[in-house]
Amino acid sequence: MSRFSDENLCRQYMEQLRWNGHPVCPYCNEQKPYKLKDGKTYRCRSKTCRKDFTVTIGTIFDNTKLPLSTWFASLYMVTHHEQGISSLRLSRDLGVTQKTAWFVLHRIRHIVSEED
Ligand SMILES: [Zn+2]
């Protein structure tokens, strides 16, 4: 929890895991996108692409307002409760609404059920 309490650390960790320090455009595989001022969005250099993306694109963390630190904590809790964890318990432990916890659990269960 303390290791991933900072949003930037979580993002850097994901970028290292996914790209090994070398971001790649998920749309056209261009190798040298540049980072925008917000510190997390990359823009493709390819003149025919030019799309923006972040490291979370195509992951369960994509298109949510939930901080990565909360996602990481959720993954930890879900994978460390052998009997399963309820959305009520997760909402209490994370300090989020039960609706948010239910959404998080739904996404995590979805990836856990996939073979890859
Ligand atoms: Zn591209």
Side-chain angles (χ1 to χ4, degrees):
M1 295 292 190
S2 59
R3 181 178 175 195
F4 294 117
S5 61
D6 178 77
E7 199 60 17
N8 287 327
L9 282 177
C10 291
R11 192 164 292 280
Q12 284 167 14
Y13 181 77
M14 270 198 75
E15 289 187 359
Q16 192 60 37
L17 268 184
R18 185 169 186 176
W19 293 323
N20 202 18
H22 306 285
V24 176
C25 174
Y27 301 102
C28 73
N29 288 323
E30 199 270 337
Q31 304 286 313
K32 298 214 188 292
Y34 59 92
K35 207 177 230 181
L36 301 185
K37 281 181 185 170
D38 70 0
K40 63 179 185 179
T41 307
Y42 289 87
R43 179 163 292 159
C44 182
R45 281 184 203 276
S46 165
K47 285 180 179 147
T48 54
C49 182
R50 287 278 181 201
K51 289 190 171 124
D52 293 348
F53 57 92
T54 69
V55 71
T56 60
I57 191 164
T59 72
I60 60 167
F61 315 121
D62 199 17
N63 287 321
T64 71
K65 289 190 167 72
L66 213 56
L68 283 175
S69 52
T70 305
W71 275 112
F72 283 21
S74 305
L75 283 166
Y76 177 82
M77 288 178 196
V78 170
T79 54
H80 284 77
H81 279 82
E82 286 179 21
Q83 307 300 319
I85 186 168
S86 70
S87 59
L88 186 62
R89 171 78 192 274
L90 193 63
S91 75
R92 273 197 229 120
D93 289 355
L94 292 174
V96 298
T97 65
Q98 191 176 358
K99 186 180 173 190
T100 297
W102 184 89
F103 168 77
V104 164
L105 276 177
H106 188 74
R107 281 206 169 180
I108 291 174
R109 284 178 187 141
H110 177 73
I111 58 165
V112 169
S113 70
E114 294 205 346
E115 282 190 26
D116 290 336

